[in-house]
Each structure stands twice: as C-alpha cells, then as structure tokens.
Amino acid sequence: MSDVRVRFCPSPTGNPHVGLIRTALFNWAFARHTHGTFVFRIEDTDASRDSEESYQALIDSLQWLGLDWDEGPEVGGPFGPYRQSERGTDYDAMVDALVAGGYAYECFCSTEELDARRQQAMAEKRAPGYDGHCRDVSDEARSAYRAEGRAPVVRFRMPDRDCTWNDLIRGEITFAAGQIPDFVLQRANGEPLYTLVNPTDDAAMRITHVLRGEDLLSSTPRQIALYEAMIDLGVFDGPVPQFGHLPYVMGEGNKKLSKRDPESSLQMYRDQGYLPEALTNYLALLGWSPGGDVEFFSKEQMAQSFSLERVNPNPARFDVKKCTAINGDWIRHLAIDDLVERLVPYLQRDGVIGSTPSAQDMDLVRAVVPLISERLETLGQASAMVGFLFTDEIAIDAGDAEKIMGDQAGDVLQAAEAALAGLDEWTTEAIEGALRSALIDERGLKPKVAFGPVRLAITGRRVSPPLFESMELLGADRSLDRIRSLHAS
Ligand code: GLU
Ligand code: ZN
C-alpha cells in the first residue's frame, strides 16, 4: 500500500453518465497503479436533488464495471461513514471557526441587491462577481440587518494573493489575486454547500490527489484557499491535496456532452448490450492511451500502465461508433460459453427464450451463437438475428421482401422446396449441396437471386446468420414449411 488516496465523490442525482464514470475509472486506475486507496464517497447533502434510486444506480454501475473501491458505502473503512448525509460532520463548527478567524464573514445582501450590483458592474464593464460588499460590516450594521429580518449567508474571504498550483494534467495554473470573488460556504438557512463540505471531507479522509473533470477547475483556487485557512486555523494539518483536471468530454457537433444527451447515459449502454470491459476500455481512451496505437486493453492493463503524464488535457470526443466497434472487438474476444451466458439475459428480455429456458432452447442458443459472434456489435442485436429459430410464426420484413421478391422468387422457392424435400439427411452440407445444384448449377442463377428468397423465407430478413447452418438448426419440417408459405403468399 502506498500513501496515495484518491476519491470518487458523486452526488446521487439522476442517472450515472459516461463523463462521471470516466472520472471514476481514472481515479480507480491511478489508485491501482500506485497501490493506493480508492475512496468512494457519496455527496448527498442536497436533500432536494438527491435520491436513493440514484445512489443505488451509482453503486450498481461501479460494481457492474468492476471498479472496486477500498473504502466507501457497502465496504466501510477507517474514515467512514462514506455518505456525507450520515457523517454528522459539524459543518457549523467549521463555519464558526472560519468566521471567528476572519477567513469568512456574514453577507446580508439580498438577491435583488446582488442582481442590481451585478447589472451595474456589467454596464460599467467590471467583473460581475460578488463585490465584497459585506467584508467589513460593523457589529452595529450587522445587528441592524438582523433587525430588518435579513438572514445572512456565510462567504469565504478570498485572500488577496495569486493562487498557483501545479496541475497534474495541465501543468502550472495561476488565478490572479482578485480574480475569484468571495464565495458562499453556507446558505442563510444554515445549509452547507459543496464549496465547504467537499474539501472538509477530502481533508478528513486524507485525500492526497483530487482527479476530477475540467468543469470543476474554477473551484480549485477556492478549495486551495479554504485548505490554507483550515491549516492556519489548526483544524487541518495538511498537506493540501494535489489536483489534476481531466479533459472535457465532447459530444456531437463538438459541444460538451451533457447529462441530458441520451448517449451519455451509462444505463443505455447496458440496455443495448455493451460489455463492461468495452466501456471501461473506451472510456479510458477519453483522455488516455497506453501508447503506440494500442486501443484494445482491459482495465487491469490500463491500471498497470496508467500515468497522469499521459493524460491529454485537450477535450476528448465521445464517439459512439468507435465505442461500438470496441464493443464488437470485446464480443469477439469472449469465449463462446461466456458469450452465451452474457447473451441469455438479453434473449430473455426480448422474449426470444423464456425466463427458464428449456434444455432444447439452450442447446439452440449454444449452437447459434458461434454463427453470429463475428457480426455482433452489441449483445442486444442478437435477438433480432436469431429470433427466427425460436418461434413458429416468423414475421417477414416488408421492406426486405420488397427488395428480395423479384420476378424469379416464386420459381426459386418452388425449386428450393423440391430440392430439399428429397434430402435424406438434414445437414448444412446436404442443404447447401442441394440448393446449389438446383438453383445455381441447373438454373444458372446468381447466388443473391438464388438464396435471397430462401433466406427471407427462413429468417424473415435479408441479412441473417449463415443460411445453411440456420436451416440445419431450424430443422427440415420447419424450413420446408417456411419456404412453402412464403411461396404461397
Ligand atoms: N459531488 C461533486 C460532483 O459530483 C464532486 C466534485 C469533485 O470531484 O470535487 O460534482
Ligand atoms: Zn453581502
């Protein structure tokens, strides 16, 4: 074990999105690479937005992806509890100490007053942030405000000096003195804000490295100033964590991928049948790569060669096509038995097989999976590909029928039926031999013209698993019935 302690600390609001999971993955990989500790903390201090459902979805997502945490909900740890709402941290005491030490102060400005001054500042081309109005309010003025019925927020007093840190991903970053306005730590109703609770808990949990998205970069000078105040006050003995800001994740049209974009939902990828291995692989590429042009690797391989120096600070583009291609690579990489096991829940969900499938159905699944494994890009595609084997009523795709059923289709089907009806063994080879000799050798048809209508009859579609193998699996009676009934229609 090293001293490295990193954290993933989402708020349980909404559904986990891929940007959030990318942050979890990079923290996990850094912790594993350094033999440090991966802390998972739930920042659920905003009761109006947080939900139990979302909490469960976070736990579930990390478990599904195999991003195991060393301390956190479910597993506990020496700095617990790991749900902020259960920590019972005396944030009031922290606020009081900061105010008593002069590091924070009460601000009595109303929203309207703040707005009016912001407008004016903008009109005068000054920075629109909080103007320090209440920094030096006298005791009498404070009492007068209270007498008026005003309830104060508490603001942190940003020190009048530059803030510089050596970002682990972006190098040296400086915010000049005066650039960051005094910010609110505690609402008028006493509620502590992210600006206070997040660094307070990071300090309490001895976090050494804060790795998070670039969207949080502007909170870093605030947090560094707050840590320094806590050190001055003697409530934290340091050191201030090191910070690294992961690149933005961009979506379509080079806009920042938003929580609301459907392609950002982790659950959607699960539903469609992306493998956890493929998602961690693809998410790793949003800012990191192992070098060379290696793009296929497990999260364990990522952990082994991970380094922050190799994280690219430039925005990364989330490319669903590429993610899907990598998923296909992962599917082809699985042993057939493993693939079968992973496909079963999707086939059940789609009603292809029952919730307790018969032995016969399972045999059929095992037999057909090798026929489709090369072309599957997601597990969810399997149902449409193999459904025709598991039903007596296939639906002929109307669009496909229009393309396939040319003038010769009737003859083709009739000839196919005649050739197949005489077979005394129903094997892939025998079926192929009979159809080739009847349709191609004797009639001189092109394979597409010859086999298209048969494929449509058997599978209902123009694109399907290999035809002759499929017919063997479907059996002679059912195959001939289907050919006959398409011909008759
Ligand atoms: N709870 C914060 C969020 O989800 C954590 C941000 C951070 O990593 O500091 O945005
Ligand atoms: Zn004020």
Side-chain angles (χ1 to χ4, degrees), residues 202-279:
D202 280 350
M205 295 181 176
R206 310 257 142 230
I207 297 303
T208 57
H209 297 72
V210 171
L211 305 177
R212 57 184 178 188
E214 185 174 353
D215 51 319
L216 289 156
L217 190 111
S218 66
S219 69
T220 300
R222 298 177 169 91
Q223 296 188 348
I224 290 175
L226 179 58
Y227 283 122
E228 286 169 349
M230 291 181 342
I231 292 172
D232 283 351
L233 279 169
V235 295
F236 174 47
D237 44 13
V240 177
Q242 292 186 266
F243 289 85
H245 293 89
L246 304 171
Y248 279 119
V249 180
M250 314 302 279
E252 287 300 316
N254 239 18
K255 284 208 312 274
K256 247 176 72 191
L257 191 64
S258 126
K259 274 191 197 190
R260 284 167 295 278
D261 293 327
E263 70 267 32
S264 77
S265 151
L266 183 70
Q267 188 60 42
M268 185 199 77
Y269 294 95
R270 269 179 94 165
D271 291 345
Q272 293 188 4
Y274 287 72
L275 307 184
E277 293 93 330
L279 280 174

Side-chain angles (χ1 to χ4, degrees), residues 107-109 117 130 133-134 155:
C107 161
F108 291 89
C109 300
R117 296 209 305 272
Y130 184 72
H133 183 268
C134 302
R155 280 186 194 274

Side-chain angles (χ1 to χ4, degrees), residues 45-47 185-193:
T45 44
D46 186 347
L185 294 169
Q186 189 183 43
R187 290 209 172 97
N189 64 6
E191 233 170 58
L193 296 180

Side-chain angles (χ1 to χ4, degrees), residues 7 9-11 20 43 194 198 202 210-212 216 223:
R7 81 324 188 246
C9 55
S11 304
L20 190 70
E43 303 213 316
Y194 163 77
N198 174 277
D202 280 350
V210 171
L211 305 177
R212 57 184 178 188
L216 289 156
Q223 296 188 348

Side-chain angles (χ1 to χ4, degrees), residues 71-111:
E71 295 176 22
E74 316 275 293
V75 305
F79 298 92
Y82 292 87
R83 290 182 78 164
Q84 232 157 25
S85 61
E86 291 170 4
R87 289 179 65 72
T89 307
D90 199 345
Y91 297 112
D92 289 346
M94 180 67 89
V95 168
D96 290 347
L98 288 164
V99 171
Y103 296 98
Y105 59 91
E106 293 176 329
C107 161
F108 291 89
C109 300
S110 69
T111 317

Side-chain angles (χ1 to χ4, degrees), residues 439-485:
L439 302 177
I440 300 198
D441 303 343
E442 283 172 32
R443 288 169 196 253
L445 298 175
K446 292 209 175 73
K448 209 173 139 193
V449 179
F451 302 134
V454 181
R455 185 187 300 279
L456 187 72
I458 298 294
T459 69
R461 307 165 111 228
R462 194 158 55 98
V463 182
S464 78
L467 178 61
F468 312 121
E469 283 86 345
S470 298
M471 291 173 74
E472 179 184 332
L473 291 178
L474 189 63
D477 293 346
R478 291 209 284 172
S479 297
L480 286 167
D481 277 353
R482 287 184 190 189
I483 293 171
R484 249 178 247 128
S485 72

